[in-house]
Amino acid sequence: MAQEVWVVLEADESGIKEGSLETLSEARKLVSLREGHLAVITIAGSEEVQRDIQPFAPDVLYVPPPEASMLGPQTLGDMLADMIGRRKPAAVLAAETIFGHEVLADVSSRLQLPFFPDCVTLSWDQGGRLVAERYHCFDRVSATLAGRGPTVLASLRTGLINIKKGMPSSKTQVEIMDGWPAQVSAVRVLEFIKADPRTVDLSDAEVIVSGGRGMGTAENFQRLWELADLLGASVGGSRVARDNGWIPLERQIGQTGKSVSPKLIISCGISGATQHTFGMKDAKTIIAINKDKNAPILKLADLGIVGDVNEIVPAVIKLIKEGLQQRAG
Ligand SMILES: Cc1cc2nc3c(=O)[nH]c(=O)nc-3n(C[C@H](O)[C@H](O)[C@H](O)COP(=O)(O)OP(=O)(O)OC[C@H]3O[C@@H](n4cnc5c(N)ncnc54)[C@H](O)[C@@H]3O)c2cc1C
């Protein structure tokens, strides 16, 4: 029988989380490299979620939650450990989010299975073992790890993998599973609070305002925070912005900084060096403001604005504020 690869799905009322779709894409690739079979394990049973799974996986293992309350990772870990024990999939994958990491780490310690967190690619070696590539030492060193054991667990870094759907499967099988422990763990999730764009990890930000040397001074750079607050966005920047002390290291975007894939990034006074674009080229929409019409970032941008960022950004802030005032009045 073909060995199963499972993806632990994260979904909420707005649908399947981006990181889970990326993990599904990597899992499809993994299954195609070897005689394998992809199944999705989910506790979200809505028709929308099952429809969104169809372009990725033929099988859905739906585990209806025992009660309407939101379950903690330990209870989910209990359930997953029980299901793994019964079906022995070759690999169980999840997105490298707080949820995905916690659940897989919990299962790993219960069943003594290898867990590779925060992987960037997955494949098989010739002996059929799962091989994971991951970065160490602030992403300066890459390591290849091979898993030993009946089942290997791995989480995938979000924002790196392009989502690749297949043809929607007309014969998606939904198997309703029963795997919940008799006792629900003492830890329960009571509420999800939306992340504050000022503090959210840049890799999870949906909108980013990003600045580089062209901002000129720390005072000018402060305007990007004002724009970001108005847009509900996070702030990032180039290495020069970091070297100048305008942003901390965790807000640097690029090869030696964060890889981001927001819905929108507004690049202000950034030239578009390859070491920078490495970290932001997967943004869905790129708007770039640069006074040099030949700046490489303008070739990458969906919308390029040639002009002085220190005139354009204040003008945009003014327009947004006027618009908000009109709406309020
Ligand atoms: C090993 C290595 C790793 C690196 N890793 C990273 C990394 O992770 N991230 C990263 O960002 N860089 C990284 N770099 C550095 C990278 O090569 C570039 O030097 C850096 O990205 C340039 O930053 P910048 O675009 O802010 O500055 P610049 O390249 O100097 O560009 C400034 C831009 O601003 C424009 N400009 C100037 N004034 C204005 C104005 N008033 N209005 C509008 N536009 C204006 C200019 O036309 C120019 O295009 C790395 C380099 C190396 C060698």
Side-chain angles (χ1 to χ4, degrees):
M1 190 180 120
Q3 281 194 295
E4 286 189 337
V5 172
W6 290 2
V7 171
V8 182
L9 203 75
E10 267 184 85
D12 59 18
E13 64 285 349
S14 57
I16 301 177
K17 296 274 186 78
E18 197 87 351
S20 286
L21 293 175
E22 292 165 359
T23 307
L24 279 167
S25 298
E26 189 69 3
R28 279 189 68 224
K29 186 199 84 185
L30 204 55
V31 165
S32 71
L33 292 175
R34 188 181 166 206
E35 186 82 359
H37 186 78
L38 177 58
V40 174
I41 183 155
T42 176
I43 60 167
S46 74
E47 278 180 18
E48 290 79 26
V49 166
Q50 288 175 12
R51 187 200 56 220
D52 291 350
I53 292 170
Q54 282 182 9
F56 295 97
D59 277 355
V60 177
L61 308 178
Y62 172 45
V63 202
E67 52 182 303
S69 68
M70 286 181 269
L71 300 154
Q74 285 165 3
T75 311
L76 290 161
D78 247 345
M79 176 272 280
L80 200 55
D82 177 72
M83 301 230 341
I84 291 172
R86 279 192 273 155
R87 290 175 71 122
K88 306 216 168 17
V92 180
L93 316 177
E96 173 62 22
T97 58
I98 293 173
F99 168 86
H101 188 110
E102 224 171 310
V103 170
L104 294 189
D106 187 81
V107 172
S108 162
S109 70
R110 276 167 207 263
L111 301 181
Q112 298 294 297
L113 293 174
F115 170 38
F116 302 147
D118 200 24
C119 303
V120 290
T121 58
L122 296 173
S123 58
W124 309 102
D125 71 5
Q126 286 186 339
R129 294 182 308 172
L130 187 80
V131 175
E133 188 190 357
R134 60 188 303 265
Y135 297 146
H136 296 264
C137 304
F138 299 103
D139 291 353
R140 287 178 175 84
V141 179
S142 145
T144 304
L145 310 164
R148 208 182 288 159
T151 302
V152 176
L153 315 173
S155 63
L156 279 145
R157 184 176 287 198
T158 59
L160 277 190
I161 296 156
N162 282 326
I163 296 167
K164 290 199 187 81
K165 295 182 184 181
M167 290 298 287
S169 162
S170 52
K171 334 187 267 291
T172 294
Q173 301 278 334
V174 180
E175 201 174 328
I176 299 178
M177 307 285 293
D178 175 22
W180 293 105
Q183 286 254 304
V184 170
S185 138
V187 180
R188 282 158 185 266
V189 180
L190 296 181
E191 190 186 357
F192 283 104
I193 300 169
K194 209 167 162 35
D196 178 350
R198 276 196 167 245
T199 50
V200 71
D201 188 305
L202 269 198
S203 340
D204 296 327
E206 295 198 339
V207 182
I208 297 175
V209 176
S210 179
R213 194 198 302 275
M215 294 309 299
T217 64
E219 290 70 34
N220 290 346
F221 199 93
Q222 272 305 110
R223 280 202 206 105
L224 299 186
W225 284 100
E226 195 181 352
L227 178 61
D229 283 346
L230 288 166
L231 297 173
S234 300
V235 170
S238 69
R239 194 167 87 174
V240 171
R242 200 256 293 179
D243 289 345
N244 288 350
W246 301 340
I247 49 164
L249 174 62
E250 66 268 18
R251 293 191 175 274
Q252 178 188 316
I253 295 170
Q255 193 181 319
T256 44
K258 287 269 156 94
S259 288
V260 299
S261 53
K263 290 185 180 144
L264 169 67
I265 188 163
I266 306 176
S267 290
C268 305
I270 291 178
S271 58
T274 48
Q275 294 90 351
H276 179 78
T277 55
F278 173 88
M280 47 71 75
K281 61 182 181 341
D282 292 328
K284 306 279 168 307
T285 303
I286 300 172
I287 298 178
I289 309 171
N290 199 299
K291 68 177 183 187
D292 174 7
K293 68 176 176 24
N294 296 316
I297 193 91
L298 294 176
K299 294 193 178 67
L300 191 68
D302 299 283
L303 172 67
I305 304 169
V306 179
D308 186 338
V309 73
N310 292 313
E311 290 172 10
I312 293 164
V313 168
V316 172
I317 291 172
K318 188 163 167 277
L319 276 173
I320 297 174
K321 282 185 174 167
E322 282 169 5
L324 289 174
Q325 267 168 8
Q326 273 173 15
R327 222 195 276 176

